[in-house]
């Protein structure tokens, strides 16, 4: 009998997609997990729920090793169990109105490919991947879907958060995949390395293979077990910046444990525009790049990581590890409870808020996939520094792709292109028309500027260079190794700042940026790429330079904040009311050698 059938008299729980705050536990059961369930008791789970009051608990059921932490009859169970811990988790959560979500490893399954080598993805050299299953193979139908059905029908779980999925997928050179590629494209040869003919087509074919796999298992789960909800970790996020093309119930991801503030600044702004319920997870621990192992984060550090997410309208979850027997670390419950109280205090003012268009920062789908040599790696290096410079100048910023902006550009007073190298011609032309009609466009970097050189009447000289230059703005200088390129400008064009060959006020140089009227609108453009250098060093002259460019194009933002630059401004609307969120981002939260912060300076 399904657990929820036995528990009909108990509090109704929110669907997982509707949850605001929850906890994530996993331990990736392995060969050492011989007594799973030994210390998991009703009293422990009830105490956890009573103190934290979560909307959902997300617990391990199959991690990347592929061994299930419950006594599965259709999968590969861990070596030993004491009772049935998943049954206990289900019964207690159902009785208390808490949704139960499974942490389930999707594409990555070490045990599956060990037992079934023909299920593994094949590398270009013919060797088998020892973790990744083939999205063109039988794994999804022979193991994954039967196990998800077992979890829904036997245990009555509410949802699955599928890990190791898009980010775990890899180009597959198996015979089935190669044959399908030849049939789909008509190409005779399958490329094996970047630079070979049809390399981009081959990667995109494999990406579409992942999308088909995702749509298949999501649709099958909804067909077999309509009450069960599904999320694929990092699908349709900044890992996979594209329109949602599968019927997933919500979107989610787990942020970089050692730089969660900057990672969540990016992820939250992208997920919030995708038209689905969403949340982000922070790890409750981090490891120093200098060594020393993982250490727990302080409650103030976790609260600040939550604030970045909540201010963008999302839900929040925190990841705490389980012991090797699957039990939780009860000594951490006070931190979980304090974090829950911080989030709940902001729920009514934040959850499901929608951003008010101010500055749109383009995360181009076309440009992102243009020269990647993988399927869905996160590569935000070209926009991360630009985003930080905008936020640290107190601008409210949306992170958007082509599908967000198409037909909607006029809603934004300013659109920023951060070092974009290529665009589809129709979208480029739509941006040009937006400017001619009165829009404002900021082009960061010579490659972005080159896309609109004809519209601007500018000529780019020679090849792009990476030699060190000094950005000179209003008497202050900042060193930059960002890519730069001299440009021939029209007479009378207004320039801003100089790129000098030496750290001297009178050293030779070229303009750092310029402005040009285009139709009824205006364009600002930088002659160097800016973002890499700022992401690394956050130099004040560079921030002031970027802020001045934006101020020229957007002189009267809806909200202005003065004072410290260590505050992010997020402008939202909720239930028809304007909402101004201020997030204290002071401190070295990107210091990977010292990722644990015990205090945060007031601002």
């Amino acid at each position: 009998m399904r657990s929820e059938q036995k528990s009909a008299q108990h509090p109704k729980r929110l669907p997982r997609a509707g949850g605001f705050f929850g906890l994530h536990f996993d331990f990736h059961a392995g060969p050492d997990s011989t007594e799973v369930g030994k210390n998991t008791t009703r009293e422990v789970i009830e105490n956890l729920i009573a103190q934290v009051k979560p909307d959902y608990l997300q617990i391990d059921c199959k991690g990347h090793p592929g061994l299930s932490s419950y006594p599965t009859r259709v999968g590969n169970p861990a070596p030993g169990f004491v009772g049935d811990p998943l049954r206990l988790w289900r019964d207690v959560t159902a009785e208390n109105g808490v949704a139960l979500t499974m942490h389930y490893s999707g594409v990555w399954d070490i045990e599956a490919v060990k037992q079934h080598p023909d299920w593994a993805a094949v590398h270009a050299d013919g060797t088998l991947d020892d973790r990744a299953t083939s999205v063109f193979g039988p794994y999804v139908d022979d193991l994954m879907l039967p196990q998800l059905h077992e979890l829904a029908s036997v245990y009555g779980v509410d949802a699955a958060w599928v890990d190791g999925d898009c980010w775990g997928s890899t180009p597959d050179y198996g015979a089935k995949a190669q044959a399908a590629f030849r049939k789909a494209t008509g190409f005779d040869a399958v490329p094996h390395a970047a630079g070979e003919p049809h390399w981009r087509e081959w990667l995109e074919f494999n990406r579409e293979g992942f999308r088909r796999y995702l749509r298949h298992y999501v649709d099958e789960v909804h067909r077999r077990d309509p009450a069960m909800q599904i999320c694929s970790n990092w699908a349709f996020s900044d890992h996979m910046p594209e329109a949602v093309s599968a019927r997933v119930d919500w979107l989610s991801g787990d942020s970089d444990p050692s730089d969660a503030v900057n990672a969540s600044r990016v992820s939250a702004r992208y997920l919030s525009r995708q038209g689905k319920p969403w949340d982000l997870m922070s790890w409750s621990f981090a490891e120093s790049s200098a060594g020393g192992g993982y250490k727990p984060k302080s409650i103030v550090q976790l609260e600040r990581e939550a604030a970045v997410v909540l201010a963008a309208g999302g839900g929040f979850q925190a990841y705490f590890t389980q012991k090797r027997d699957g039990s939780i670390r009860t000594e951490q419950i006070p931190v979980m409870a304090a974090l829950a109280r911080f989030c709940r205090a902001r729920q009514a003012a934040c959850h499901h808020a929608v951003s008010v268009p101010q500055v749109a920062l383009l995360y181009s789908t076309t440009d992102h996939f243009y020269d990647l040599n993988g399927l869905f790696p996160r590569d935000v290096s070209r926009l991360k520094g630009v985003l930080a410079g905008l936020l640290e100048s107190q601008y409210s910023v949306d992170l958007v792709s082509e599908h967000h902006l198409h037909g909607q550009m006029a809603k934004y007073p300013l659109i920023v292109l951060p070092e974009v190298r290529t665009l589809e011609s129709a979208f480029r032309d739509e941006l040009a028309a937006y400017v001619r009609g009165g829009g404002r466009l900021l082009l960061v970097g010579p490659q972005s500027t080159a896309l609109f050189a004809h519209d601007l009447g500018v000529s780019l000289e020679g090849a792009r260079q990476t030699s060190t230059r000094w950005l000179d703005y209003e008497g202050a200088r900042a060193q930059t190794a960002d890519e730069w390129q001299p440009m021939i400008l029209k007479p009378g064009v207004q320039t801003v700042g100089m790129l000098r060959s030496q750290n001297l006020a009178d050293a030779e140089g070229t303009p750092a940026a310029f402005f040009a009227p285009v139709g009824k609108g205006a364009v600002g453009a930088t002659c160097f790429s800016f973002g890499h250098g700022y992401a690394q060093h956050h130099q004040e002259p560079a921030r002031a330079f970027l802020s001045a460019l934006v101020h020229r194009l957007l002189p009267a933002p809806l909200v202005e904040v003065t004072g410290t630059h260590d505050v992010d401004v997020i402008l939202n609307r909720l239930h028809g009311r304007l909402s101004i969120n201020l997030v204290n981002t002071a401190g070295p939260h990107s210091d990977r050698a010292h990722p644990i912060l015990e205090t945060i300076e007031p601002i």
Side-chain angles (χ1 to χ4, degrees), residues 352-407:
H352 299 313
V354 177
S355 67
V356 175
Q358 288 287 275
V359 177
L361 182 63
L362 180 67
Y363 187 6
S364 168
T365 302
T366 298
D367 187 61
H368 173 76
F369 289 128
Y370 181 70
D371 64 359
L372 286 181
N373 290 324
L375 300 189
F376 299 107
R378 183 196 283 112
D379 179 11
V380 295
S381 57
R382 288 183 297 278
L383 61 83
K384 189 176 180 180
V386 177
L387 175 62
L390 292 170
L391 296 179
E392 289 162 15
S393 298
Q394 279 74 58
Y395 289 103
S396 186
V397 182
D398 288 347
L399 190 60
V400 293
S401 291
E402 287 90 338
H403 65 280
H404 301 117
L405 280 178
H406 176 59

Side-chain angles (χ1 to χ4, degrees), residues 190-260:
V190 175
H192 284 66
E196 293 184 12
H198 312 306
W199 176 246
R200 290 194 182 104
E201 291 89 344
W202 169 245
L203 291 181
E204 183 54 32
F205 169 80
N206 276 272
R207 292 186 192 110
E208 186 56 28
F210 172 80
R211 297 181 192 109
R212 285 195 301 269
Y213 145 90
L214 174 60
R215 289 191 288 265
H216 172 59
Y217 81 70
V218 170
D219 289 347
E220 282 299 295
V221 168
H222 288 158
R223 183 182 67 81
R224 297 179 187 181
D225 302 288
M228 188 179 191
Q229 295 192 324
I230 292 288
C231 168
S232 176
N233 182 24
W234 287 122
F236 311 114
S237 71
D238 49 307
H239 256 298
M240 190 177 171
E242 58 188 58
V244 177
S245 60
R247 294 193 303 124
V248 291
D249 295 285
W250 82 101
L251 304 178
S252 184
D254 53 321
S255 291
D256 181 341
S258 297
D259 190 11

Side-chain angles (χ1 to χ4, degrees), residues 427-445:
F427 183 76
R428 194 224 73 92
D429 292 346
E430 187 177 357
L431 278 169
Y434 155 80
V435 176
R436 289 194 300 271
R440 303 299 176 100
L441 185 65
L442 177 60
L443 305 171
V444 179

Side-chain angles (χ1 to χ4, degrees), residues 36 108 136 197 240 357 399 434 438 503:
V36 180
W108 270 14
F136 300 96
M240 190 177 171
L399 190 60
Y434 155 80
N503 188 15

Side-chain angles (χ1 to χ4, degrees), residues 542-559:
R543 187 213 59 78
F545 165 78
L546 182 67
S547 181
L549 299 181
V550 175
H551 183 73
R552 169 68 184 269
L553 295 165
L554 184 64
L558 195 57
V559 172

